[in-house]
Amino acid sequence: MSSAQKARFEGKVAVVTGGSRGIGAAVARRLVQEGAAVAIGYRGNQEAAAALVAELGDGGGRAVAVQADVADPEQTGALIERAVAEFGRLDVLASCAGIEHFDALENITSADFDRVFAVNTRGQLFAVQHAVPHLGAGGRIVLTSSVSASKAFFGHTLYAASKAAVESMVLNLSAELGRKGIAINAIAPGGTATDMARENGASYLHPDLAGKQDLSEWLQVGVALRRLAEPSEVAAGYAFLASADAAYMTGRTLQLDGGMF
Ligand SMILES: NC(=O)c1ccc[n+]([C@@H]2O[C@H](COP(=O)([O-])OP(=O)(O)OC[C@H]3O[C@@H](n4cnc5c(N)ncnc54)[C@H](OP(=O)(O)O)[C@@H]3O)[C@@H](O)[C@H]2O)c1
């Protein structure tokens, strides 16, 4: 990391939801490497969150882990209040918490709908609502969509819709938040090598291809760069949108998918 990059978040404070694992953990690492103090939210994996805080602390960074289920807006509010109490301000919200869902239309229940939207959609909207009062002009918000919001996969309707709503949220909120000098954007990651991808990767294959094609074969033809992303590669996009380098960008969703058309 060059000193020019380190300066990007020197003196800044960030909240990263879903920061215990996967993309969120990579975002927390990247922001701390570039000088930020970070509050890492997680749902239940206290061990992973504590290990990350220790790793960041060993490297000279400032981080704290806070259990907060984003499906409950009050818990998200408490996470943000804790960040401000601990580090004295808030400059960046990186909303990375999310859950996956695959099932065919006939199997989707209203409980599934509520569970997926509670985390992926409602959770992100209320994270923004709680963060905004603490963000001054120059504050930056990065939400998480998915390549799935604009690409059809068999059985992926519920998850895709929960993420498409996020792209609409950043577009509309940009007008309101622009008046306060706050920018809001989203990242739409493609397949990224995390627990989520390991657990669900095979479900991206069309069922008619079962037994005929595996995920690595599909990646060769379905993704221009022919592989999954590393979480650190996706985190670089969050760091860009969270930084002053993206000063004139708001309301947009950055497709970070290795060319998944
Ligand atoms: N990986 C991909 O290929 C991919 C592609 C497109 C979009 N995305 C999106 O990118 C984001 C990160 O995905 P990932 O692959 O890093 O997922 P992951 O490996 O499954 O990690 C999920 C993270 O979110 C947290 N989390 C889940 N539900 C939560 C809740 N209700 N409240 C608070 N935290 C919660 C988890 O906390 P615990 O550790 O405590 O469980 C964990 O830190 C998600 O929004 C996902 O939809 C991922």
Side-chain angles (χ1 to χ4, degrees):
M1 198 69 49
S2 75
S3 57
Q5 281 173 311
K6 187 173 173 60
R8 287 204 302 185
F9 298 107
E10 206 69 69
K12 308 260 187 207
V13 175
V15 166
V16 181
T17 73
S20 48
R21 291 184 288 129
I23 291 171
V27 171
R29 276 192 189 93
R30 179 71 189 241
L31 296 179
V32 168
Q33 280 166 3
E34 294 197 45
V38 175
I40 293 163
Y42 65 97
R43 174 185 48 189
N45 201 331
Q46 198 267 338
E47 208 175 316
L52 179 57
V53 166
E55 173 199 317
L56 296 172
D58 287 347
R62 290 192 302 155
V64 65
V66 183
Q67 194 277 327
D69 183 342
V70 299
D72 176 356
E74 277 190 27
Q75 293 189 32
T76 310
L79 162 64
I80 286 164
E81 295 299 331
R82 173 76 190 282
V84 174
E86 193 85 25
F87 300 123
R89 54 186 289 141
L90 183 67
D91 303 281
V92 172
L93 168 66
S95 165
C96 302
I99 54 173
E100 181 71 281
H101 179 274
F102 275 95
D103 219 337
L105 175 65
E106 60 270 25
N107 298 326
I108 297 172
T109 65
S110 62
D112 292 333
F113 187 101
D114 290 347
R115 183 172 53 83
V116 172
F117 273 72
V119 177
N120 292 354
T121 316
R122 191 178 77 197
Q124 300 207 72
L125 178 71
F126 286 101
V128 174
Q129 190 189 68
H130 283 291
V132 163
H134 298 287
L135 292 169
R140 304 203 62 88
I141 299 170
V142 188
L143 304 188
T144 302
S145 178
S146 166
V147 68
S148 301
S150 52
K151 194 168 165 58
F153 291 102
F154 200 95
H156 215 205
T157 307
L158 194 49
Y159 175 85
S162 75
K163 293 297 196 173
V166 172
E167 299 191 9
S168 183
M169 269 162 29
V170 300
L171 183 59
N172 285 275
L173 285 171
S174 66
E176 273 182 62
L177 300 184
R179 289 181 153 190
K180 302 176 194 284
I182 298 169
I184 179 167
N185 295 287
I187 297 271
T192 306
T194 66
D195 292 343
M196 182 180 281
R198 279 184 280 279
E199 285 156 19
N200 298 283
S203 301
Y204 280 86
L205 299 172
H206 194 285
D208 292 352
L209 288 174
K212 297 182 190 146
Q213 193 180 47
D214 67 19
L215 188 63
S216 60
E217 289 166 329
W218 180 79
L219 287 169
Q220 301 299 308
V221 293
V223 181
L225 295 181
R226 298 161 66 94
R227 63 176 175 84
L228 295 176
E230 289 303 321
S232 61
E233 294 174 307
V234 179
Y238 285 80
F240 166 65
L241 290 178
S243 77
D245 289 340
Y248 198 58
M249 182 162 176
T250 194
R252 298 300 179 194
T253 298
L254 183 63
Q255 307 289 318
L256 221 165
D257 56 19
M260 212 166 158
F261 309 113

